[in-house]
Amino acid sequence: MKYERILGALYGQAVGDAMGMPSELWPRARVKAHFGWIDRFLPGPAENSAACYFKRAEFTDDTSMALCLADALLECDGQIDPDVIGRHILAWAERFDAFNKNVLGPTSKIALRAIRDGQPVRELENNGVTNGAAMRVSPLGCMLPTADLERFIDDITLASSPTHKSDLAIAGAVVVAWAISRAIDGERWESIVEALPAIARHAQEKRVTTFSASLAARLELALKTVREANGVESASEQLYQLVGAGTSTIESVPCAIAMVELAQTDPNRCAVLCANLGGDTDTIGAMATAICGALHGVDAIDPALKAELDGVNNLDFTRYASALREYRQQREAL
């Protein structure tokens, strides 16, 4: 069953990303005015400077970087090597001409330029607070067991370091990865979500590097907002206005966790709700729907969406899922 949940997390990441791609980085009002309601894969509109490069059902840099991370793990037989991760992400960025397109976040762009110039990852500052580490972390959630929280945080910190080393960015990645990992163990969402604020607080306070607001407090606000709202539309509007749906970790990660709750953990519903939210729709969709996919397994993904995703992107997620399951089993046996 863990294999099906790992595959569900990977497909969830891609479905949420591709569903949210056409509306990414647009204000909520503009999403409503342009699309009405997004409930299927759509091409990126020509007038969306971030989405215009992508065809219907194509995923964005979020899932591309997650697969770079997975490729680096496969190359190193399940070991985390920041320089190898950085090399894979840089190779993708150069293939996609990402430095000349509006797809890379500011933190990743600065870090990848430094890596391209030959700087080792350990020498980079990378103290940005954007969500690039959290958006690509799903393969680590699939691979890493949670029994040793300190080691879990250290592993996420190491894997995030090619682009993000700040306390907030790491804490956001820990929250998403930990939720996925617990889901793969078969834990129920109710117990996972109850523990997340404490996990976030511990990760953020482990090595303080910024003056960021508390991720734990923002998670609690996001969940309270959704639980007390009068219906889905009201909940989405209040999340957008109160918590925020921007590219910062402090907004997008709490928003993603709240969207899992709002969708009642249904991956297909979650992808749709995230796509219509406004803001960083593809990233919030990728993180939230990856968690939903891990909770319910790949069979919960709409077969039509999965088939379209497979056909357009020509990728074999089963190869990644098999390897990540094997690496997880090795770590669990230690």
Side-chain angles (χ1 to χ4, degrees), residues 307-323:
E308 192 170 358
L309 203 64
D310 284 340
V312 168
N313 297 287
N314 195 28
L315 269 172
D316 180 10
F317 280 126
T318 60
R319 179 172 66 92
Y320 294 109
S322 296

Side-chain angles (χ1 to χ4, degrees), residues 87-124:
R87 173 162 53 76
H88 275 275
I89 294 173
L90 177 61
W92 165 79
E94 290 180 329
R95 283 196 308 274
F96 192 71
D97 194 27
F99 289 101
N100 297 312
K101 295 175 179 175
N102 186 29
V103 293
L104 283 175
T107 308
S108 295
K109 188 175 284 188
I110 292 167
L112 290 173
R113 281 195 176 122
I115 291 169
R116 188 174 61 183
D117 292 342
Q119 274 191 267
V121 168
R122 67 181 177 277
E123 294 177 6
L124 302 178

Side-chain angles (χ1 to χ4, degrees), residues 59-84:
F59 49 70
T60 74
D61 58 313
D62 303 53
T63 304
S64 293
M65 286 197 193
L67 294 175
C68 290
L69 173 55
D71 284 332
L73 295 172
L74 266 63
E75 180 180 324
C76 298
D77 291 324
Q79 298 306 303
I80 297 168
D81 185 321
D83 289 303
V84 175

Side-chain angles (χ1 to χ4, degrees), residues 1-14 67 70 74 138-145 180-186 289-299 301 317-329 332:
M1 189 61 196
K2 283 187 183 180
Y3 171 80
E4 284 78 13
R5 293 193 186 112
I6 289 171
L7 199 53
L10 298 177
Y11 268 108
Q13 159 104 24
L67 294 175
L74 266 63
S138 58
L140 282 171
C142 295
M143 183 180 85
L144 300 175
I180 289 170
S181 183
R182 296 302 295 136
I184 285 164
D185 282 339
T289 315
I291 294 169
C292 292
L295 283 163
H296 296 289
V298 68
D299 289 344
I301 306 284
F317 280 126
T318 60
R319 179 172 66 92
Y320 294 109
S322 296
L324 292 169
R325 179 184 59 174
E326 183 181 330
Y327 301 148
R328 187 182 184 95
Q329 287 171 339
E332 287 170 342

Side-chain angles (χ1 to χ4, degrees), residues 10-322:
L10 298 177
Y11 268 108
Q13 159 104 24
V15 168
D17 185 0
M19 188 78 74
M21 170 270 291
S23 54
E24 66 169 312
L25 305 186
W26 273 7
R28 184 167 166 79
R30 187 172 185 183
V31 173
K32 286 171 172 284
H34 185 92
F35 296 103
W37 183 254
I38 300 170
D39 59 6
R40 63 194 184 283
F41 292 135
L42 296 170
E47 57 269 51
N48 185 326
S49 62
C52 60
Y53 312 107
F54 300 102
K55 300 194 292 283
R56 176 186 169 112
E58 283 188 330
F59 49 70
T60 74
D61 58 313
D62 303 53
T63 304
S64 293
M65 286 197 193
L67 294 175
C68 290
L69 173 55
D71 284 332
L73 295 172
L74 266 63
E75 180 180 324
C76 298
D77 291 324
Q79 298 306 303
I80 297 168
D81 185 321
D83 289 303
V84 175
I85 294 168
R87 173 162 53 76
H88 275 275
I89 294 173
L90 177 61
W92 165 79
E94 290 180 329
R95 283 196 308 274
F96 192 71
D97 194 27
F99 289 101
N100 297 312
K101 295 175 179 175
N102 186 29
V103 293
L104 283 175
T107 308
S108 295
K109 188 175 284 188
I110 292 167
L112 290 173
R113 281 195 176 122
I115 291 169
R116 188 174 61 183
D117 292 342
Q119 274 191 267
V121 168
R122 67 181 177 277
E123 294 177 6
L124 302 178
E125 186 177 343
N126 294 351
N127 201 38
V129 295
T130 46
N131 55 22
M135 76 183 190
R136 68 171 185 256
V137 81
S138 58
L140 282 171
C142 295
M143 183 180 85
L144 300 175
T146 60
D148 184 341
L149 180 59
E150 298 304 328
R151 184 181 176 189
F152 187 88
I153 295 171
D154 289 344
D155 284 343
I156 299 293
T157 301
L158 193 61
S160 301
S161 66
T163 57
H164 293 76
K165 295 181 180 179
S166 75
D167 48 7
L168 178 62
I170 289 165
V174 166
V175 163
V176 175
W178 193 89
I180 289 170
S181 183
R182 296 302 295 136
I184 285 164
D185 282 339
E187 192 79 44
R188 292 173 67 246
W189 172 243
E190 291 76 11
S191 59
I192 294 172
V193 74
E194 185 181 352
L196 284 180
I199 298 293
R201 185 175 293 109
H202 189 72
Q204 189 173 0
E205 293 176 355
K206 187 161 184 178
R207 189 180 71 89
V208 175
T209 70
T210 70
F211 49 84
S212 169
S214 163
L215 182 61
R218 195 67 66 92
L219 278 166
E220 288 167 343
L221 173 63
L223 290 163
K224 183 174 186 283
T225 299
V226 164
R227 288 166 181 167
E228 295 181 358
N230 184 22
V232 169
E233 177 60 25
S234 172
S236 297
E237 179 68 24
Q238 288 186 62
L239 267 184
Y240 181 84
Q241 299 293 351
L242 288 175
V243 177
T247 59
S248 172
T249 301
I250 199 69
E251 294 187 11
S252 55
V253 168
C255 201
I257 298 302
M259 293 307 273
V260 176
E261 182 96 354
L262 186 61
Q264 298 178 306
T265 73
D266 180 321
N268 310 298
R269 180 172 166 78
C270 187
V272 168
L273 292 179
C274 292
N276 289 283
L277 181 65
D280 201 1
T281 49
D282 59 324
T283 301
I284 292 168
M287 295 186 291
T289 315
I291 294 169
C292 292
L295 283 163
H296 296 289
V298 68
D299 289 344
I301 306 284
D302 182 334
L305 294 178
K306 181 175 174 294
E308 192 170 358
L309 203 64
D310 284 340
V312 168
N313 297 287
N314 195 28
L315 269 172
D316 180 10
F317 280 126
T318 60
R319 179 172 66 92
Y320 294 109
S322 296

